[in-house]
Amino acid sequence: MNIENFLSEAVIRSVEALYGQLEGEQIQIQKTRKEFEGDYTLVTFPLLKRSRKSPEATAAEIGEYMAANVPEVKAFNVIKGFLNLTLDSNFWAARFAEIAADADFGQAPTSGRTVMVEYSSPNTNKPLHLGHIRNNLLGYSVAEILKANGHKVIKANLVNDRGIHICKSMLAWKLYGNGETPASSGMKGDHLVGKYYVEFDKHYKAEIKELMTAGQSEDDAKKNAPVMLQAQEMLRRWEARDPEVYGLWETMNGWVYEGFDVTYKALGVDFDKIYYESQTYLLGKSLVEEGLRKGVFYRRPDNSVWIDLTADGLDEKLLLRGDGTSVYMTQDLGTAYRRFEDNKLDDLIYVVGNEQNYHFQVLKLIIKKLGFPEWSDHITHLSYGMVELPEGKMKSREGTVVDADDLIEGMVQTAREMSAELGKLDGCTEEEANAVSTTVGLGALKYFILKVDPRKTMLFDPRESIDFNGNTGPFIQYTHARIRSILRKAVEAGIDFGGAASAEYLPEEIELVKTLTEYPSAVAAAGENFAPSVVGAYVYELAKQFNGYYHDHSILKEENAEVRRMRLQLAGQVSRVIRSGMKLLGIEVPERM
RNA sequence: GGUCUCGUAGCUCAGCUGGAUAGAGCAACAGCCUUCUAAGCUGUCGGUCAUGGGUUCGAAUCCCGUCGAGAUCACCA
């Protein structure tokens, strides 16, 4: 049962009984702020025209009526124009029973909508870095949240496995390498390939410098550097499916995928579909033809195809090169079209950094102009801000990139050190110690990144993120582990906490029940705004509240069996909700730590 | 220059479909471990919500201007 709907119906009935039929006046009900007495608050300002009385008098009148006529309303108080209603504790007991009986609490009924979430989308010439971590965590979490909202979700990864950048790694491996492989070097495949990408850049820069000392301009030198010419030649050979180049490309990409899989697994993300750009880069050309026929696009004398978006406040955009080859936009048009067609999608969400805001603005506009407004309106660019480091911004060209694997390892390592220092690992087997360190280290990382509004540029301070106090993943994990420990001890002691409890709720317990009931709305809000941070904030709030409660009330040692039963049930429910919330964030929740 | 995003406590962030005295955590300070996990709990300190206008009974929230930060405007992806 939806409490706010229930209340607003009760309010409408009462207000109409007092003042006659309403004509579209807003009924505003919100949670009562914790510094005031009450559970829910009616804002009476919008009703003043109707009551023709002061805010205080109106609130008092409605309050009296409701206390007398709505059995669930136990008490009320009025502060300024705000009517605070306190609900009967039987009402909360019933809500709790409802939640406890619902095995799928938080899972919305199926919506019948199919949503594709594309995220990760790495290049195959170098390992993943901190920016990818934000992307992966966001994409995965948003997908899980959408599932919880009842949608059918397809997680997709579009791998950029072709282009000049991959040829650079391949060329450097051939020219400067000694035939090493992940197996022979002991390096993770993506790191090995990334190493040669850097190697290419070193030689390339050296050659530019050389040509410039020989008198060439910088631009000329960049074009004429022999390694660059060779890389371009390699790309041509790749496109012609030259067996040698193609074979090497397959081998090296294979190494990279093995490496990526390790990272994805560590992050706990997965995909339903993997697309490869080498297989989709030719898509979209027929759409361009169609656009030309419809007069949406135009051809320039050099044979290139453009769209003029100046009337929409944007620029002119290239869609097909003079030589007939496609560009990024062409491909994206093609893949979007195909995805909607093939999967009968209702929504398509791209998790891509905000440096591509313009690209997606244009993409949506073009799709609309091509005559598919129903698709255009259902494409969402889930744009996220850059992750900055204390020293400056992350740019792959500068040396300050934080490698994803290194970062994960560092988090786990630090978690282990801190756990050991606090004596949390005493008596653990090596295996258990590893499990705790991994869970805690990754929980810290994931929560730290997901708790920030995606749109915002965020600051990632590795040292600070490893502070496990306060609003952090480990705090939430810790709370869950504590609750599980209580429940285990209760079972060991043979305490029976099944069946309905008849004890009365205390105010703190009602607060917990109230917070529990808010879980579905938090999940819905997070889904609507593509903001895992909303779920994060909710789970933190619940954990914090429980910690305070746990501190003030003994649960196992409570002497009254009914009260103890009730408290145990409450604790069990809190742990269930924490667990399902954390799952939506992709964060593992330990049974003990 | 055009377009878009952001600006809230010393720091990192919530709050934004308009509602009460703007919230957390960190840092600082003061307490709390014979107690179900102290990775915890309680308290103190800390804010002209960048700034100036406007709309409103009411604005951190909506609109306009200004300042500041970032992204983008490629025959790259």
Side-chain angles (χ1 to χ4, degrees):
Chain A
M1 152 174 171
N2 183 315
I3 296 171
E4 272 160 44
N5 285 351
F6 162 77
L7 268 177
S8 81
E9 274 164 33
V11 167
I12 289 172
R13 275 200 311 276
S14 308
V15 169
E16 292 193 334
L18 288 166
Y19 309 125
Q21 194 77 24
L22 287 175
E23 286 156 16
E25 284 93 342
Q26 276 285 312
I27 297 295
Q28 272 190 59
I29 293 185
Q30 51 196 242
K31 272 170 65 187
T32 301
R33 299 175 61 127
K34 51 175 180 259
E35 57 268 37
F36 300 102
E37 167 118 25
D39 298 329
Y40 286 88
T41 297
L42 173 72
V43 183
T44 59
F45 295 102
L47 299 170
L48 298 186
K49 277 183 209 148
R50 187 48 68 155
S51 70
R52 299 179 162 278
K53 288 185 179 151
S54 73
E56 290 82 353
T58 307
E61 196 165 39
I62 299 172
E64 274 159 31
Y65 183 89
M66 292 189 75
N69 295 288
V70 181
E72 289 83 358
V73 174
K74 188 175 78 183
F76 73 95
N77 66 83
V78 175
I79 295 172
K80 297 190 190 167
F82 298 91
L83 170 61
N84 300 323
L85 300 167
T86 303
L87 299 174
D88 193 79
S89 87
N90 288 330
F91 174 84
W92 293 113
R95 297 292 76 69
F96 180 79
E98 250 173 39
I99 295 170
D102 182 356
D104 293 326
F105 180 62
Q107 171 65 51
T110 166
S111 68
R113 296 183 77 78
T114 303
V115 183
M116 179 178 279
V117 180
E118 181 194 295
Y119 70 101
S120 199
S121 306
N123 288 351
T124 56
N125 61 325
K126 51 191 170 202
L128 305 176
H129 58 72
L130 182 49
H132 292 117
I133 290 185
R134 192 176 196 186
N135 181 308
N136 283 303
L137 297 181
L138 258 180
Y140 178 83
S141 182
V142 164
E144 291 302 311
I145 288 167
L146 290 172
K147 277 190 204 169
N149 279 298
H151 308 309
K152 183 184 169 207
V153 176
I154 303 169
K155 297 180 209 168
N157 187 0
L158 176 60
V159 179
N160 180 11
D161 60 344
R162 63 171 283 277
I164 190 79
H165 45 282
I166 287 110
C167 291
K168 289 178 183 175
S169 291
M170 285 159 59
L171 184 69
W173 184 84
K174 270 186 76 173
L175 293 180
Y176 317 120
N178 48 10
E180 63 177 344
T181 65
S184 76
S185 65
M187 270 178 98
K188 205 161 155 281
D190 49 339
H191 289 259
L192 181 69
V193 172
K195 175 180 134 183
Y196 283 102
Y197 186 73
V198 173
E199 196 68 20
F200 173 92
D201 216 48
K202 261 187 356 207
H203 284 86
Y204 180 41
K205 281 195 178 125
E207 289 185 2
I208 292 174
K209 208 171 166 190
E210 218 172 280
L211 291 175
M212 282 170 72
T213 27
Q216 293 200 18
S217 75
E218 191 176 343
D219 285 350
D220 285 344
K222 279 182 179 167
K223 275 183 219 149
N224 297 331
V227 271
M228 182 53 94
L229 295 176
Q230 283 185 72
Q232 282 163 354
E233 170 61 18
M234 203 170 215
L235 181 60
R236 277 189 290 276
R237 283 172 65 192
W238 179 87
E239 282 179 358
R241 295 260 172 157
D242 175 294
E244 192 201 331
V245 172
Y246 211 79
L248 179 60
W249 174 78
E250 283 180 324
T251 306
M252 289 182 71
N253 272 341
W255 297 345
V256 171
Y257 298 145
E258 278 172 30
F260 284 172
D261 283 345
V262 172
T263 311
Y264 286 148
K265 206 168 169 205
L267 284 174
V269 304
D270 55 37
F271 304 95
D272 302 308
K273 284 198 179 172
I274 297 184
Y275 295 100
Y276 297 93
E277 210 161 277
S278 55
Q279 288 160 16
T280 60
Y281 77 106
L282 295 174
L283 289 176
K285 288 191 189 180
S286 58
L287 280 178
V288 173
E289 296 301 324
E290 197 175 324
L292 279 168
R293 271 203 307 281
K294 287 184 178 167
V296 179
F297 307 147
Y298 68 93
R299 204 181 279 281
R300 285 190 181 171
D302 66 358
N303 212 34
S304 57
V305 177
W306 295 74
I307 184 166
D308 184 356
L309 298 171
T310 48
D312 298 279
L314 303 173
D315 302 293
E316 291 181 281
K317 189 80 190 172
L318 176 83
L319 288 150
L320 216 52
R321 294 192 186 100
D323 61 7
T325 56
S326 55
V327 291
Y328 185 38
M329 186 60 76
T330 330
Q331 298 170 39
D332 259 8
L333 282 172
T335 50
Y337 181 90
R338 177 169 283 195
R339 286 173 183 182
F340 272 103
E341 283 277 277
D342 291 357
N343 301 293
K344 304 247 181 305
L345 295 186
D346 293 292
D347 292 282
L348 175 55
I349 295 157
Y350 292 91
V351 182
V352 179
N354 63 10
E355 68 273 12
Q356 290 193 36
N357 284 354
Y358 182 75
H359 171 80
F360 283 101
Q361 201 184 341
V362 172
L363 179 72
K364 288 182 64 161
L365 193 54
I366 293 179
I367 289 177
K368 185 171 274 180
K369 284 181 185 286
L370 279 174
F372 307 105
E374 71 281 11
W375 290 349
S376 176
D377 292 343
H378 290 280
I379 290 176
T380 304
H381 173 204
L382 174 46
S383 163
Y384 60 90
M386 205 174 276
V387 182
E388 291 182 352
L389 292 171
E391 315 89 66
K393 271 169 291 155
M394 303 217 1
K395 283 275 184 201
S396 51
R397 282 174 221 112
E398 296 157 19
T400 54
V401 221
V402 172
D403 177 77
D405 298 311
D406 291 350
L407 181 69
I408 292 168
E409 203 194 312
M411 294 297 292
V412 173
Q413 185 54 34
T414 310
R416 177 184 275 267
E417 284 159 17
M418 293 188 69
S419 305
E421 206 170 299
L422 289 163
K424 300 282 179 187
L425 300 180
D426 297 351
C428 278
T429 63
E430 178 61 18
E431 207 173 310
E432 285 165 343
N434 280 338
V436 169
S437 312
T438 306
T439 303
V440 170
L442 279 162
L445 174 66
K446 290 178 180 179
Y447 188 81
F448 190 91
I449 286 181
L450 287 175
K451 76 175 176 181
V452 181
D453 180 332
R455 285 172 308 170
K456 286 190 172 177
T457 302
M458 68 172 288
L459 183 77
F460 182 80
D461 183 343
R463 272 174 308 180
E464 207 173 295
S465 77
I466 300 196
D467 188 349
F468 296 133
N469 289 311
N471 186 358
T472 64
F475 169 74
I476 299 165
Q477 295 173 317
Y478 169 70
T479 305
H480 179 268
R482 260 176 153 178
I483 299 175
R484 300 303 298 175
S485 163
I486 292 169
L487 297 175
R488 271 195 308 273
K489 291 199 168 142
V491 170
E492 279 165 21
I495 299 173
D496 170 30
F497 50 95
S502 56
E504 274 284 302
Y505 285 99
L506 295 171
E508 299 95 311
E509 287 153 359
I510 289 179
E511 282 307 308
L512 274 173
V513 174
K514 269 164 70 182
T515 307
L516 284 172
T517 62
E518 285 153 17
Y519 179 57
S521 13
V523 174
E528 207 155 302
N529 303 310
F530 307 111
S533 52
V534 174
V535 173
Y538 169 82
V539 178
Y540 173 61
E541 180 57 36
L542 181 60
K544 197 163 62 126
Q545 216 178 89
F546 186 84
N547 255 282
Y549 172 79
Y550 168 96
H551 188 262
D552 294 342
H553 299 277
S554 175
I555 294 177
L556 287 172
K557 302 205 168 150
E558 171 59 48
E559 283 170 23
N560 180 320
E562 276 305 294
V563 172
R564 190 174 60 211
R565 179 199 294 260
M566 183 192 75
R567 289 183 178 171
L568 280 166
Q569 288 179 350
L570 195 53
Q573 196 55 43
V574 169
S575 82
R576 270 181 59 193
V577 173
I578 288 179
R579 185 187 311 151
S580 61
M582 295 292 266
K583 272 190 182 158
L584 297 185
L585 301 174
I587 298 176
E588 265 185 63
V589 185
E591 288 295 304
R592 44 186 101 207
M593 62 187 270

